[in-house]
Amino acid sequence: MLRSVIGRQWRCSATFQWCAMFQPFGGEVGKTGMSTATTTRTSQAHEQQQQQEIHKIDEEVSRLLALKAKLGGDAPVNQKFTLKTPKGTRDYAPQQMTLRQGVLDKIVQVFKRHGGEAIDTPVFELKEVLTGKYGEDSKLIYDLKDQGGEILSMRYDLTVPLARYLAMNKISSIKRYHIAKVYRRDNPAMTRGRYREFYQCDFDIAGTYDPMIADAECVKIVAEILDTLDLGEYVIKLNHRQLLDGMFEACGVPADNFRAICSAVDKLDKSPWEDVRKEMVEEKGLDGSTADKIGEYVRLSGGTELVEKLLADPKLKAVPNAVKGLEGMQLLLKYCSLLGLEKAISFDLSLARGLDYYTGVIYECVLKTEPPLSLPTTPIKTSAQNGGEQQEQQGGGGIVGSVAGGGRYDNLVGMFDPRGKAVPCVGVSIGVERIFSVLEAKFAASKVKLRTNDVEVYVASAHKGLHEQRLRVLNQLWQAGVKAEHSYKLNPKLLAQLQHCEENQIPLAIILGDAELSQGVVKLREVVTRQEASIKLDELAEEIIKRRAKD
Amino acid sequence: MLRSVIGRQWRCSATFQWCAMFQPFGGEVGKTGMSTATTTRTSQAHEQQQQQEIHKIDEEVSRLLALKAKLGGDAPVNQKFTLKTPKGTRDYAPQQMTLRQGVLDKIVQVFKRHGGEAIDTPVFELKEVLTGKYGEDSKLIYDLKDQGGEILSMRYDLTVPLARYLAMNKISSIKRYHIAKVYRRDNPAMTRGRYREFYQCDFDIAGTYDPMIADAECVKIVAEILDTLDLGEYVIKLNHRQLLDGMFEACGVPADNFRAICSAVDKLDKSPWEDVRKEMVEEKGLDGSTADKIGEYVRLSGGTELVEKLLADPKLKAVPNAVKGLEGMQLLLKYCSLLGLEKAISFDLSLARGLDYYTGVIYECVLKTEPPLSLPTTPIKTSAQNGGEQQEQQGGGGIVGSVAGGGRYDNLVGMFDPRGKAVPCVGVSIGVERIFSVLEAKFAASKVKLRTNDVEVYVASAHKGLHEQRLRVLNQLWQAGVKAEHSYKLNPKLLAQLQHCEENQIPLAIILGDAELSQGVVKLREVVTRQEASIKLDELAEEIIKRRAKD
């Protein structure tokens, strides 16, 4: 057994070699590592299928190797071909981190403008905390191995941990934001920003308040974030779960089928009505004429005039849930208008949201203009460079989908409270991975190189034997809070040092030389203009701080 | 089966009730939820043992419940008594987040001052990436459940993921920092800042450079961070793995026993020499006289004078590894002195570091003054409020241990490279959890309440019916970038609104009233001084920004 596994490992030591053994992939395999800009849609689909098969092989190999590792104990080995991040995850290189930090800073600024406080929770929860909260999607939860002790699962979102946190600490009101990674064993589509490990940025308002005031503020927050990130035109779709339920009732859907039909409606953003109708009738056993009635409603979108029209609709008027939902929408639209949001929002009856726990208003924000994602995007070094993940990096027409979503969930906290005490909540989640994808593509197209360090000055040697002098000067600069670096070589070439400054966009260089040092001065050089000035050694930090202030 | 499990759940619905059924815990159990400030050491040990047993029961209960959840499918239930975070983890409440963010910001500032770039990696890796990297500690790695697909484990540190990242992307030089959570199934001791989920803040310099220049900068970084965080006196202990190996050789330790003896020496910071000697002789089969020779050396610490003394030591002089290690130390101490670190460092032969992968310099920074951790610390709301974790929150005399550590590891990246290409690395890791613990205790003692929001102005109603006006004013403020909030109630009481400002340390309040509004003005009130001024409605944002600039 052991021998056969090791034999396999040897054969696998390069992915291409292994794959070449299979006829179906043949000469195509090499291509997956390159740009497919010129590849047509049809051959893309073909390739995707192939790559899915390759992926299955990769996964099988991983499993065998894990088995091998188990058999062979902890002996260090060179893990040649598994040099990859787990499926659906990626590393962030410095450029991506810079971009990401810029986005997150702007989002946090908006959250703080609305009085948000930060919290954090563990990345995993007791498994049963997550049980029964996500409906059909529960199968996507990552579980930890039972290694003795508690049974744990990775968090699937930040909403359920918030509800657990509020119930556990008996907090009845908070305005909190939480920016952290969540985990879903979903089918990744990485150019479109769909990962298995991804960031969520959530803002939620918990507390017993008057209707729609907090709900409207969440819409405002989404609009402010989209405005500040400058991603182009967007629309925030609004709907109400109570109205949906009322509408289903009015159309004659049996009550125990509401959630299933709701989750079919949720697919309208990706599928045409015909497909959704088919699902309702064929999979979910709905009467064809009932489905058609729903079809009439879910095609509607608009503003307050639509609310009024629906309030006058005889079928809806007869259903208390529908009337309550519509009255809620009316109030929400009024508050949104007071907050200057009229042009950003659309009351949209096709909006349903997947998750079970919503009880009131639901939101979803989509970009109106197609971001330039149909381009092959390999701008910045990513984990896409290794073999395993390319298939998800390609294909797809660049539909970014929603960049924010949320809603009201008044019963979730109560599910955790021993006495069932409810804490009403409403919140939004910003889809930052999708936003990162859009911005990465933008940057790739612009060919702008982001600066990934903050160094203000580079301390260079003009000739040999000055490394101790450099350390003295650096110490002086660091003590003064100046961001400074140098070469870690004893005798670096001057040209190499100045090139480093240019490549890393460091604005200033200090050049040490014996002649100047004997007079107690150094050369201070502006890297871009190449202008040089003589500065006294003991005024150096001061001079740099002065120049920094001018920028 | 199902019935018996559910029966148990009912009995467990309160931890105390369940525990009360066991004689050994009896009346003691209630105590664990309270302060033990007055409890003596002996009874503490007794209590600890009891609590360990309670914990086992808690864990068993969790397992049974997970089984139940499995049997019962996904039906939502109220998880009454498992309202806790997983063992060894905690939530961060807003006050803790504020403290934490303050610490991390200062650390990042230092990292950036030295030219660091940020990266991030996934929270889990393919299991085999971690295999064979941590020696004895590998048993503490969290594994994910095999749900089909790849076999994954949670990262144990940030160093191995960095090595994997460098090898995978063929990066031969980088100066990177990484701040992220890592996971160890260790025995938690939470008041002392030892968790199963905890933050690491790592700075590493990768690249082929001249000896000790990068190594000395890492020492400088630790010193700058400790200085900026103002945690009291500290010492950075320095040693060299080559010297340790040379010393073991000189004392007559067989080469295949070096790592085992090294890991025994590593315990000298917690155990007296007698215990360590016993481990060497009884567990690791070392000759008593060999152990005694080691004992002579590991008691030594000092500066350059000690290096010179050891270079003259006849036994060490004969061993090339020892001489190389000592020459390295000599160079490091010289560079440290040029960087103004003479008083912060100590060459300490007892420093060994646990991890296998170090090949050169090793560091460890310890606080000299005992932080006030023997006090019962329940300052800020923590997960300690729930039953399961108290036992680790108490006991122990407040030994914070090391707050930073690291070293040189020249062979780790090569373990991932298909051709074994090495990328020499040196780095440090800041033990922020321990630092948070020290600061939390400090804050608890000072009774200062940290502000957890940034709100500049609260928009209040003086009487009923002004909520629409409030929204208009808020919209105006938010558009101008002012951080503002209000009550989510239609008609809040004025007193309640002003109290909210005081409790949340919001500096300004706008008070809307019909009388003022009819003249186009509002009252702007300084919350602390209660001074009020009449401000024109359309100059409000401007006025607040002006006041903000003055602070």
Side-chain angles (χ1 to χ4, degrees), chain A residues 395-443:
Chain A
I399 303 147
V400 166
S402 84
V403 290
R408 175 165 285 282
Y409 50 101
D410 285 349
N411 302 331
L412 192 58
V413 179
M415 286 172 75
F416 291 105
D417 188 84
R419 287 182 207 121
K421 186 180 169 275
V423 178
C425 296
V426 62
V428 288
S429 184
I430 309 298
V432 275
E433 300 294 344
R434 290 179 171 179
I435 293 172
F436 296 151
S437 292
V438 174
L439 290 176
E440 279 181 18
K442 258 190 170 180
F443 261 95

Short mmCIF file of all heavy atoms in Angstrom, two decimals, chain A residues 395-443:
data_model
loop_
_atom_site.label_atom_id
_atom_site.label_comp_id
_atom_site.label_asym_id
_atom_site.label_seq_id
_atom_site.Cartn_x
_atom_site.Cartn_y
_atom_site.Cartn_z
N GLY A 395 -13.27 31.92 -17.70
CA GLY A 395 -14.67 31.61 -17.99
C GLY A 395 -15.57 32.63 -17.32
O GLY A 395 -15.17 33.41 -16.48
N GLY A 396 -16.83 32.63 -17.74
CA GLY A 396 -17.77 33.57 -17.15
C GLY A 396 -17.64 34.90 -17.86
O GLY A 396 -16.58 35.29 -18.30
N GLY A 397 -18.72 35.61 -17.96
CA GLY A 397 -18.71 36.82 -18.75
C GLY A 397 -18.46 38.08 -17.93
O GLY A 397 -18.69 39.18 -18.39
N GLY A 398 -18.03 37.93 -16.69
CA GLY A 398 -17.73 39.10 -15.90
C GLY A 398 -18.92 39.67 -15.18
O GLY A 398 -19.01 40.87 -14.94
N ILE A 399 -19.87 38.81 -14.81
CA ILE A 399 -21.01 39.31 -14.04
C ILE A 399 -20.58 39.38 -12.59
O ILE A 399 -20.31 38.36 -11.96
CB ILE A 399 -22.21 38.36 -14.17
CG1 ILE A 399 -22.58 38.21 -15.64
CG2 ILE A 399 -23.40 38.88 -13.35
CD1 ILE A 399 -23.12 36.85 -15.98
N VAL A 400 -20.48 40.59 -12.08
CA VAL A 400 -20.00 40.73 -10.71
C VAL A 400 -21.12 40.44 -9.72
O VAL A 400 -20.89 39.97 -8.63
CB VAL A 400 -19.39 42.12 -10.49
CG1 VAL A 400 -19.21 42.41 -9.03
CG2 VAL A 400 -18.06 42.20 -11.19
N GLY A 401 -22.36 40.66 -10.13
CA GLY A 401 -23.47 40.37 -9.24
C GLY A 401 -23.57 41.42 -8.15
O GLY A 401 -23.09 42.54 -8.30
N SER A 402 -24.17 41.04 -7.04
CA SER A 402 -24.44 42.03 -6.01
C SER A 402 -23.17 42.37 -5.24
O SER A 402 -22.32 41.53 -5.05
CB SER A 402 -25.52 41.51 -5.06
OG SER A 402 -24.96 40.70 -4.07
N VAL A 403 -23.03 43.62 -4.85
CA VAL A 403 -21.87 44.05 -4.07
C VAL A 403 -22.25 44.37 -2.63
O VAL A 403 -21.39 44.73 -1.84
CB VAL A 403 -21.16 45.27 -4.71
CG1 VAL A 403 -20.47 44.86 -6.00
CG2 VAL A 403 -22.14 46.41 -4.96
N ALA A 404 -23.53 44.25 -2.30
CA ALA A 404 -23.96 44.44 -0.91
C ALA A 404 -25.35 43.84 -0.76
O ALA A 404 -26.10 43.75 -1.74
CB ALA A 404 -23.98 45.92 -0.54
N GLY A 405 -25.65 43.42 0.43
CA GLY A 405 -26.97 42.85 0.65
C GLY A 405 -27.26 42.78 2.14
O GLY A 405 -26.35 42.91 2.96
N GLY A 406 -28.53 42.55 2.46
CA GLY A 406 -28.84 42.44 3.87
C GLY A 406 -30.33 42.49 4.09
O GLY A 406 -31.11 42.26 3.17
N GLY A 407 -30.69 42.81 5.33
CA GLY A 407 -32.11 42.87 5.64
C GLY A 407 -32.36 42.82 7.12
O GLY A 407 -31.43 42.89 7.92
N ARG A 408 -33.63 42.70 7.46
CA ARG A 408 -34.03 42.67 8.87
C ARG A 408 -34.26 41.23 9.30
O ARG A 408 -34.86 40.44 8.56
CB ARG A 408 -35.30 43.50 9.06
CG ARG A 408 -35.88 43.44 10.47
CD ARG A 408 -36.90 44.52 10.75
NE ARG A 408 -36.26 45.81 10.96
CZ ARG A 408 -35.66 46.16 12.11
NH1 ARG A 408 -35.60 45.33 13.13
NH2 ARG A 408 -35.10 47.35 12.22
N TYR A 409 -33.75 40.89 10.48
CA TYR A 409 -33.91 39.53 11.03
C TYR A 409 -34.23 39.67 12.51
O TYR A 409 -33.36 39.83 13.32
CB TYR A 409 -32.66 38.67 10.78
CG TYR A 409 -31.36 39.31 11.17
CD1 TYR A 409 -30.73 38.97 12.35
CD2 TYR A 409 -30.76 40.27 10.37
CE1 TYR A 409 -29.53 39.58 12.73
CE2 TYR A 409 -29.57 40.89 10.74
CZ TYR A 409 -28.97 40.53 11.93
OH TYR A 409 -27.80 41.15 12.29
N ASP A 410 -35.51 39.66 12.81
CA ASP A 410 -35.95 39.96 14.18
C ASP A 410 -35.96 38.75 15.10
O ASP A 410 -36.06 38.92 16.32
CB ASP A 410 -37.34 40.61 14.15
CG ASP A 410 -37.28 42.07 13.68
OD1 ASP A 410 -36.16 42.61 13.59
OD2 ASP A 410 -38.34 42.65 13.39
N ASN A 411 -35.83 37.55 14.56
CA ASN A 411 -35.98 36.37 15.41
C ASN A 411 -34.70 35.59 15.66
O ASN A 411 -34.71 34.62 16.41
CB ASN A 411 -37.02 35.42 14.79
CG ASN A 411 -38.36 36.11 14.63
OD1 ASN A 411 -38.70 37.01 15.40
ND2 ASN A 411 -39.11 35.73 13.62
N LEU A 412 -33.60 36.01 15.04
CA LEU A 412 -32.39 35.18 15.11
C LEU A 412 -31.78 35.16 16.52
O LEU A 412 -31.40 34.10 17.03
CB LEU A 412 -31.37 35.68 14.08
CG LEU A 412 -30.16 34.79 13.82
CD1 LEU A 412 -30.57 33.41 13.35
CD2 LEU A 412 -29.24 35.44 12.79
N VAL A 413 -31.69 36.33 17.15
CA VAL A 413 -31.09 36.38 18.50
C VAL A 413 -31.90 35.53 19.47
O VAL A 413 -31.36 34.80 20.29
CB VAL A 413 -30.97 37.84 19.00
CG1 VAL A 413 -30.38 37.88 20.41
CG2 VAL A 413 -30.13 38.68 18.05
N GLY A 414 -33.22 35.61 19.34
CA GLY A 414 -34.10 34.84 20.21
C GLY A 414 -33.87 33.33 20.13
O GLY A 414 -34.10 32.61 21.09
N MET A 415 -33.38 32.87 18.97
CA MET A 415 -33.08 31.43 18.83
C MET A 415 -31.96 31.00 19.77
O MET A 415 -31.79 29.82 20.06
CB MET A 415 -32.68 31.11 17.39
CG MET A 415 -33.86 31.13 16.41
SD MET A 415 -33.33 30.99 14.70
CE MET A 415 -32.90 29.26 14.60
N PHE A 416 -31.14 31.97 20.22
CA PHE A 416 -30.03 31.64 21.11
C PHE A 416 -30.34 31.92 22.57
O PHE A 416 -29.60 31.50 23.45
CB PHE A 416 -28.78 32.43 20.72
CG PHE A 416 -28.19 31.99 19.42
CD1 PHE A 416 -28.34 32.76 18.28
CD2 PHE A 416 -27.49 30.79 19.34
CE1 PHE A 416 -27.80 32.34 17.07
CE2 PHE A 416 -26.95 30.38 18.14
CZ PHE A 416 -27.11 31.16 17.00
N ASP A 417 -31.38 32.69 22.81
CA ASP A 417 -31.67 33.06 24.20
C ASP A 417 -32.44 31.94 24.89
O ASP A 417 -33.41 31.43 24.33
CB ASP A 417 -32.47 34.36 24.23
CG ASP A 417 -32.61 34.88 25.64
OD1 ASP A 417 -31.68 35.56 26.09
OD2 ASP A 417 -33.63 34.57 26.29
N PRO A 418 -31.98 31.57 26.10
CA PRO A 418 -32.66 30.47 26.80
C PRO A 418 -34.15 30.70 26.95
O PRO A 418 -34.94 29.77 26.90
CB PRO A 418 -31.98 30.45 28.16
CG PRO A 418 -30.68 31.13 27.98
CD PRO A 418 -30.87 32.12 26.87
N ARG A 419 -34.55 31.97 27.12
CA ARG A 419 -35.99 32.26 27.27
C ARG A 419 -36.61 32.73 25.95
O ARG A 419 -37.73 33.23 25.93
CB ARG A 419 -36.20 33.30 28.35
CG ARG A 419 -35.96 32.70 29.73
CD ARG A 419 -36.21 33.71 30.84
NE ARG A 419 -35.40 33.34 32.00
CZ ARG A 419 -34.48 34.10 32.57
NH1 ARG A 419 -34.28 35.33 32.15
NH2 ARG A 419 -33.79 33.66 33.60
N GLY A 420 -35.84 32.66 24.88
CA GLY A 420 -36.35 33.07 23.57
C GLY A 420 -36.52 34.57 23.42
O GLY A 420 -37.18 35.03 22.49
N LYS A 421 -35.90 35.36 24.32
CA LYS A 421 -36.02 36.81 24.25
C LYS A 421 -35.45 37.33 22.92
O LYS A 421 -34.29 37.10 22.60
CB LYS A 421 -35.26 37.44 25.42
CG LYS A 421 -35.46 38.94 25.53
CD LYS A 421 -34.68 39.52 26.71
CE LYS A 421 -34.66 41.04 26.65
NZ LYS A 421 -33.60 41.60 25.81
N ALA A 422 -36.29 38.05 22.18
CA ALA A 422 -35.88 38.53 20.86
C ALA A 422 -35.13 39.85 20.95
O ALA A 422 -35.44 40.68 21.82
CB ALA A 422 -37.09 38.68 19.95
N VAL A 423 -34.14 40.05 20.11
CA VAL A 423 -33.53 41.37 19.90
C VAL A 423 -33.63 41.65 18.40
O VAL A 423 -32.95 41.02 17.60
CB VAL A 423 -32.05 41.39 20.34
CG1 VAL A 423 -31.43 42.75 20.06
CG2 VAL A 423 -31.90 41.03 21.81
N PRO A 424 -34.54 42.57 18.02
CA PRO A 424 -34.70 42.86 16.59
C PRO A 424 -33.41 43.42 15.99
O PRO A 424 -32.74 44.22 16.64
CB PRO A 424 -35.80 43.93 16.57
CG PRO A 424 -36.45 43.88 17.91
CD PRO A 424 -35.40 43.40 18.86
N CYS A 425 -33.06 42.99 14.80
CA CYS A 425 -31.82 43.43 14.14
C CYS A 425 -32.07 43.74 12.67
O CYS A 425 -32.90 43.11 12.02
CB CYS A 425 -30.76 42.34 14.17
SG CYS A 425 -30.18 41.87 15.79
N VAL A 426 -31.29 44.69 12.16
CA VAL A 426 -31.27 44.94 10.73
C VAL A 426 -29.83 45.26 10.35
O VAL A 426 -29.10 45.87 11.15
CB VAL A 426 -32.24 46.09 10.35
CG1 VAL A 426 -31.84 47.41 11.01
CG2 VAL A 426 -32.33 46.27 8.84
N GLY A 427 -29.41 44.80 9.18
CA GLY A 427 -28.02 45.05 8.83
C GLY A 427 -27.72 44.85 7.36
O GLY A 427 -28.56 44.36 6.60
N VAL A 428 -26.50 45.26 7.00
CA VAL A 428 -26.03 45.06 5.63
C VAL A 428 -24.63 44.46 5.64
O VAL A 428 -23.87 44.66 6.58
CB VAL A 428 -25.95 46.39 4.84
CG1 VAL A 428 -27.33 46.90 4.53
CG2 VAL A 428 -25.13 47.42 5.58
N SER A 429 -24.35 43.75 4.57
CA SER A 429 -23.05 43.14 4.41
C SER A 429 -22.49 43.62 3.08
O SER A 429 -23.16 43.56 2.06
CB SER A 429 -23.23 41.62 4.40
OG SER A 429 -21.99 41.00 4.33
N ILE A 430 -21.25 44.13 3.12
CA ILE A 430 -20.64 44.63 1.88
C ILE A 430 -19.82 43.50 1.26
O ILE A 430 -18.99 42.90 1.93
CB ILE A 430 -19.72 45.84 2.18
CG1 ILE A 430 -20.45 46.90 3.02
CG2 ILE A 430 -19.19 46.44 0.88
CD1 ILE A 430 -21.66 47.52 2.38
N GLY A 431 -20.06 43.22 0.00
CA GLY A 431 -19.35 42.14 -0.70
C GLY A 431 -18.00 42.61 -1.18
O GLY A 431 -17.78 42.86 -2.36
N VAL A 432 -17.06 42.72 -0.23
CA VAL A 432 -15.78 43.34 -0.58
C VAL A 432 -14.96 42.55 -1.57
O VAL A 432 -14.22 43.11 -2.36
CB VAL A 432 -14.90 43.65 0.65
CG1 VAL A 432 -15.28 44.97 1.25
CG2 VAL A 432 -14.97 42.54 1.66
N GLU A 433 -15.08 41.21 -1.56
CA GLU A 433 -14.27 40.43 -2.52
C GLU A 433 -14.64 40.82 -3.94
O GLU A 433 -13.78 40.94 -4.81
CB GLU A 433 -14.47 38.93 -2.33
CG GLU A 433 -14.10 38.41 -0.97
CD GLU A 433 -12.60 38.49 -0.64
OE1 GLU A 433 -11.77 38.67 -1.56
OE2 GLU A 433 -12.27 38.40 0.55
N ARG A 434 -15.93 41.01 -4.17
CA ARG A 434 -16.35 41.42 -5.51
C ARG A 434 -15.85 42.80 -5.83
O ARG A 434 -15.43 43.10 -6.95
CB ARG A 434 -17.88 41.35 -5.61
CG ARG A 434 -18.31 39.91 -5.58
CD ARG A 434 -19.78 39.69 -5.65
NE ARG A 434 -20.01 38.25 -5.83
CZ ARG A 434 -21.19 37.68 -5.92
NH1 ARG A 434 -22.29 38.42 -5.88
NH2 ARG A 434 -21.31 36.39 -6.08
N ILE A 435 -15.86 43.65 -4.82
CA ILE A 435 -15.33 45.00 -5.02
C ILE A 435 -13.83 44.95 -5.30
O ILE A 435 -13.34 45.62 -6.20
CB ILE A 435 -15.68 45.88 -3.79
CG1 ILE A 435 -17.20 46.10 -3.74
CG2 ILE A 435 -14.93 47.20 -3.83
CD1 ILE A 435 -17.70 46.79 -2.49
N PHE A 436 -13.11 44.09 -4.55
CA PHE A 436 -11.67 43.93 -4.84
C PHE A 436 -11.46 43.48 -6.29
O PHE A 436 -10.58 43.97 -6.98
CB PHE A 436 -11.02 42.88 -3.92
CG PHE A 436 -11.02 43.21 -2.47
CD1 PHE A 436 -11.06 42.21 -1.51
CD2 PHE A 436 -10.96 44.53 -2.03
CE1 PHE A 436 -11.06 42.50 -0.15
CE2 PHE A 436 -10.97 44.83 -0.67
CZ PHE A 436 -11.01 43.81 0.27
N SER A 437 -12.27 42.52 -6.73
CA SER A 437 -12.13 42.01 -8.10
C SER A 437 -12.30 43.12 -9.12
O SER A 437 -11.54 43.23 -10.08
CB SER A 437 -13.16 40.92 -8.38
OG SER A 437 -12.88 39.79 -7.62
N VAL A 438 -13.32 43.94 -8.91
CA VAL A 438 -13.57 45.05 -9.83
C VAL A 438 -12.36 45.99 -9.83
O VAL A 438 -11.86 46.39 -10.89
CB VAL A 438 -14.84 45.84 -9.42
CG1 VAL A 438 -15.02 47.08 -10.27
CG2 VAL A 438 -16.06 44.94 -9.51
N LEU A 439 -11.87 46.32 -8.64
CA LEU A 439 -10.75 47.27 -8.55
C LEU A 439 -9.45 46.67 -9.09
O LEU A 439 -8.67 47.37 -9.72
CB LEU A 439 -10.58 47.74 -7.10
CG LEU A 439 -11.69 48.64 -6.58
CD1 LEU A 439 -11.47 48.97 -5.12
CD2 LEU A 439 -11.77 49.94 -7.40
N GLU A 440 -9.24 45.39 -8.84
CA GLU A 440 -8.03 44.75 -9.38
C GLU A 440 -8.04 44.80 -10.90
O GLU A 440 -7.02 45.09 -11.53
CB GLU A 440 -7.92 43.30 -8.90
CG GLU A 440 -7.37 43.19 -7.50
CD GLU A 440 -7.22 41.75 -7.00
OE1 GLU A 440 -7.21 40.82 -7.83
OE2 GLU A 440 -7.10 41.57 -5.78
N ALA A 441 -9.20 44.53 -11.48
CA ALA A 441 -9.32 44.58 -12.94
C ALA A 441 -9.09 46.00 -13.45
O ALA A 441 -8.38 46.22 -14.43
CB ALA A 441 -10.69 44.08 -13.37
N LYS A 442 -9.66 46.98 -12.73
CA LYS A 442 -9.46 48.39 -13.08
C LYS A 442 -7.98 48.74 -13.08
O LYS A 442 -7.47 49.38 -14.00
CB LYS A 442 -10.15 49.27 -12.04
CG LYS A 442 -11.49 49.86 -12.46
CD LYS A 442 -11.90 50.90 -11.42
CE LYS A 442 -13.10 51.71 -11.86
NZ LYS A 442 -13.50 52.71 -10.85
N PHE A 443 -7.28 48.32 -12.01
CA PHE A 443 -5.87 48.63 -11.89
C PHE A 443 -5.05 47.94 -12.96
O PHE A 443 -4.11 48.51 -13.52
CB PHE A 443 -5.35 48.23 -10.50
CG PHE A 443 -5.27 49.41 -9.61
CD1 PHE A 443 -6.31 49.71 -8.75
CD2 PHE A 443 -4.17 50.25 -9.65
CE1 PHE A 443 -6.26 50.83 -7.95
CE2 PHE A 443 -4.10 51.36 -8.84
CZ PHE A 443 -5.16 51.66 -7.98
#
